Amino acid sequence: MGATGRAVRRRLPDGAAPAARRHWPVAAVLAAGLAVRTVALAGYPTGLWFGDSVGYLRVAVTLEPSITRASAYGVMLLVLRPLHSLFAVVAVQHLLGLLTAVLLYALVWRHARAAWPDRTLRPGLLGAAATLPVLFDGYQIQLEHLLLSETLFTFLLVAAVVVLLWNARVGVWTAAAGGLLLGLAGTTRSVGLPLPAIVLAWLLVRRPRAQWRSAAVLVAAFAVPLLLYATWFKAVHSRFALTGTEKVFLYSRTVDFADCSIIRPRPGLLDLCPRTPPPGVAPAFAVLWTRQSPFFRAPGGKMGSNERAGEFAWAAIRAQPVDYARVVVRDTLRAFWWKRTVYPQPPTFRKYEFPVRPLRLSRRQAKVARAYTHRVRPVHVVEPYAGWMRAYQHRVYLPGIGLGVMLAVAAVALAAGAGSAGPPAQPGAAASVGRRRAPWRRWWRRFSGPGRRQAVSSRQALARARAAAAGRRGTVRRAPLPWLVVAGTGAARPLAGPGVAVSVGWWRVALGRLWGCCGGAGRRRVLSFRQASAHGRRGVVRRASLPWLVAMGLLVVPAATADFDYRYVLPAVPFGALSAVLAFVPPRRSG
């Protein structure tokens, strides 16, 4: 058996064995995720339909952009049209889901490898952990099976964030690639249009003078896909825009709180005053997609009433700003509930679950399916694979509170890093932690270590440790948390040099011993988090804050401009996982 193993190793290409040792965690989870998606394709080979699916397929058939929604996803369907198969479309979407996980893993592994260059397995485990919500969430897999744009949109956004975070500094070419991907995402779903503002704020808030060229290039690259799409839209609909109903969707947001006795709209807008929706139907859904909609019989439909709807919406927001903010906060927090509730109406809610029985296509669906695939096939349900997927979806998914925990953990880690990040201390000097700290900080010091602390940067601490340990054995390592520094000591060498005051709390000693047990040989001392590098902390905060901000933007923008929907939540999950993992990857190890 030993000879066989040696023979196998001899047949492996150079570098294959180290790569296998480094990346086997992600290979295992990718294989499991592929297996689950294969079962989904076997159980539902024809894909699943949603209300928006007809519009997207019509774009691929007629080459005309949709009036009601951005239609870059229809362009992807156009590319796949020669295959004449909805099975191929769904398979490509599942592949995009797997590629999204690969991008997350590559980014986390790159930064973790730089932080722990002597740790073979740790970067791979962290990277694989970031991919778990994308690979195994039952609702994520079901969303990939729907003929909707969310999977492509998520992939483009993740690719943009990975490109921007790949290096410590965002260069001109990196900004161009990131801006182009953000522009493609904005033409796929309109909720992506405000996200470049978040990216620009993230890019300029720390180093505005150093990054202004990259910011300008990012804006220019972002505008290119939008201008091309708007030109296409104008050629078909005689209007230079991305859609013709953006103000109608904002109006649907305001009907949840609008009171015409307070707004007092002009007579031409009185027909837009909200009515009581049907039982079990959300007000925003009722005014857009039911016969109760004021646009149902209006001349020109939704596009013809776009300006009137916008005028009413802004009047409602100006007259009732507190009510508007209340509705936005309520629907944003709805994403973090433990259990899913029926919203916006029961038929729509059931669309996000794998069906139990075969479904016949409606007349509209059959017409566009015949034009796209040259045949009409109902939604097939193949047992026992379909039953396995239904059971899997009901048991394996990330509840809303899970997303909230990831974002909260990342926020706490970022706040700790940002709050303690100051200018690096000068060589030989100690930066004193003054007495002006808040009471909770004094309470924290009481239980975490005696006395007032004096902080220096980790680079100075490491340099002084090496100088103090001249001629003795010992290594200096960083801790897993960006605000801790772990120093390995060989003999009883002093770590603190002149002008360096070190306060070690009992809980830090316990963490150091635990980390020393799991992270490598040698005795460890855990220094106060005030001795972590200010430059390193800023790098960690900068790196992990971008996916956190993008995740919050994906949750807040739909709640502020349209309505809540569970499929709007799922694109935020990869960014929540990414921010939670990156917040605990220390800065690049020096020396």
Side-chain angles (χ1 to χ4, degrees):
M1 187 172 180
T4 303
R6 287 192 296 271
V8 171
R9 285 194 294 271
R10 283 195 297 268
R11 287 195 297 268
L12 288 176
D14 293 340
R21 288 195 297 270
R22 289 193 298 264
H23 302 299
W24 72 260
V26 73
V29 295
L30 281 174
L34 177 61
V36 176
R37 285 160 173 80
T38 303
V39 175
L41 287 170
Y44 300 92
T46 55
L48 301 176
W49 289 75
F50 196 79
D52 299 350
S53 303
V54 174
Y56 289 128
L57 287 170
R58 187 177 291 132
V59 173
V61 172
T62 64
L63 301 182
E64 296 181 357
S66 172
I67 293 176
T68 57
R69 59 187 61 86
S71 304
Y73 174 67
V75 177
M76 188 192 87
L77 296 178
L78 175 64
V79 174
L80 299 175
R81 188 184 178 186
L83 301 177
H84 302 297
S85 172
L86 295 180
F87 177 89
V89 173
V90 175
V92 168
Q93 293 183 173
H94 284 308
L95 179 61
L96 290 177
L98 295 174
L99 290 177
T100 301
V102 171
L103 290 175
L104 295 173
Y105 173 81
L107 180 65
V108 174
W109 188 90
R110 175 180 173 83
H111 289 291
R113 182 66 173 172
W116 298 296
D118 55 343
R119 292 291 181 261
T120 301
L121 190 57
R122 191 179 301 165
L125 290 175
L126 282 177
T131 67
L132 296 181
V134 177
L135 289 175
F136 297 108
D137 188 303
Y139 287 95
Q140 178 72 40
I141 296 172
Q142 197 271 347
L143 185 63
E144 295 172 10
H145 221 76
L146 285 166
L147 300 175
L148 286 176
S149 61
E150 269 70 20
T151 302
L152 176 63
F153 175 72
T154 305
F155 172 77
L156 292 172
L157 271 188
V158 169
V161 170
V162 168
V163 166
L164 293 172
L165 293 179
W166 194 253
N167 296 310
R169 182 179 179 275
V170 180
V172 172
W173 290 106
T174 301
L180 185 63
L181 290 167
L182 288 173
L184 293 174
T187 58
T188 303
R189 279 201 60 212
S190 299
V191 70
L193 294 176
L195 297 182
I198 295 176
V199 176
L200 286 176
W202 168 83
L203 190 62
L204 297 175
V205 70
R206 291 289 186 179
R207 301 172 62 189
R209 293 185 178 180
Q211 296 286 356
W212 69 268
R213 289 187 181 87
S214 298
V217 171
L218 188 143
V219 172
F222 171 74
V224 170
L226 270 62
L227 292 175
L228 293 176
Y229 186 93
T231 303
W232 179 33
F233 192 90
K234 180 178 176 60
V236 177
H237 301 294
S238 302
R239 183 171 183 254
F240 192 78
L242 300 180
T243 67
T245 57
E246 68 281 354
K247 297 176 183 177
V248 170
F249 282 92
L250 182 62
Y251 161 77
S252 71
R253 172 73 291 176
T254 62
V255 298
D256 216 341
F257 64 86
D259 187 347
C260 284
S261 63
I262 299 176
I263 301 171
R264 296 179 181 179
R266 61 181 179 85
L269 302 178
L270 290 177
D271 62 316
L272 299 180
C273 290
R275 306 174 187 175
T276 303
V281 180
F285 188 92
V287 299
L288 286 177
W289 311 114
T290 68
R291 291 183 176 271
Q292 195 184 66
S293 171
F295 315 113
F296 186 67
R297 301 185 184 279
K302 294 184 179 70
M303 187 172 180
S305 303
N306 192 49
E307 296 301 325
R308 294 174 58 244
E311 182 181 351
F312 183 95
W314 285 113
I317 293 173
R318 286 192 298 267
Q320 300 174 262
V322 177
D323 294 329
Y324 173 68
R326 174 182 56 81
V327 170
V328 172
V329 172
R330 179 202 68 190
D331 281 354
T332 300
L333 295 179
R334 195 191 296 267
F336 306 127
W337 290 2
W338 177 263
K339 293 186 65 175
R340 291 190 167 211
T341 57
V342 178
Y343 194 91
Q345 64 162 354
T348 302
F349 182 80
R350 288 193 293 269
K351 294 286 187 181
Y352 300 134
E353 297 180 346
F354 285 107
V356 177
R357 58 183 61 88
L359 303 176
R360 296 185 60 184
L361 301 185
S362 67
R363 183 176 301 176
R364 295 171 60 245
Q365 292 171 344
K367 180 179 179 181
V368 72
R370 183 179 292 107
Y372 188 81
T373 65
H374 297 173
R375 56 182 174 178
V376 177
R377 298 180 62 188
V379 176
H380 283 283
V381 177
V382 181
E383 301 292 351
Y385 310 110
W388 295 350
M389 287 309 304
R390 292 193 299 271
Y392 179 90
Q393 185 180 16
H394 291 159
R395 290 170 175 80
V396 183
Y397 65 93
L398 181 72
I401 190 66
L403 175 60
V405 168
M406 289 192 298
L407 293 174
V409 167
V412 170
L414 294 176
S420 58
Q426 297 299 321
S432 173
V433 179
R435 296 181 179 179
R436 294 177 294 174
R437 297 297 181 188
W440 72 270
R441 288 187 179 274
R442 292 195 295 270
W443 178 88
W444 181 265
R445 289 199 302 272
R446 177 181 178 185
F447 290 96
S448 63
R452 293 171 52 195
R453 286 175 174 70
Q454 291 179 318
V456 296
S457 72
S458 66
R459 291 185 178 180
Q460 296 169 28
L462 299 180
R464 293 172 189 178
R466 294 190 181 97
R472 301 186 181 183
R473 297 178 60 186
T475 58
V476 179
R477 304 190 184 281
R478 292 183 187 272
L481 305 184
W483 53 85
L484 298 178
V485 175
V486 177
T489 60
R493 61 182 176 86
L495 181 64
V500 183
V502 179
S503 177
V504 181
W506 65 269
W507 66 276
R508 294 194 180 97
V509 174
L511 282 180
R513 290 174 180 172
L514 177 63
W515 183 253
C517 171
C518 303
R523 293 187 299 151
R524 303 281 194 269
R525 290 183 63 196
V526 184
L527 306 183
S528 166
F529 67 86
R530 291 293 176 186
Q531 294 171 311
S533 168
H535 174 75
R537 285 194 301 270
R538 284 196 295 268
V540 171
V541 171
R542 178 182 176 85
R543 184 175 62 205
S545 60
L546 178 59
W548 192 90
L549 292 171
V550 170
M552 292 304 300
L554 291 173
L555 297 175
V556 174
V557 171
T561 60
D563 193 13
F564 173 82
D565 199 304
Y566 283 107
R567 67 186 173 105
Y568 300 160
V569 177
L570 290 176
V573 171
F575 300 100
L578 183 62
S579 63
V581 173
L582 288 180
F584 292 96
V585 175
R588 179 184 294 271
R589 182 174 163 185
S590 59

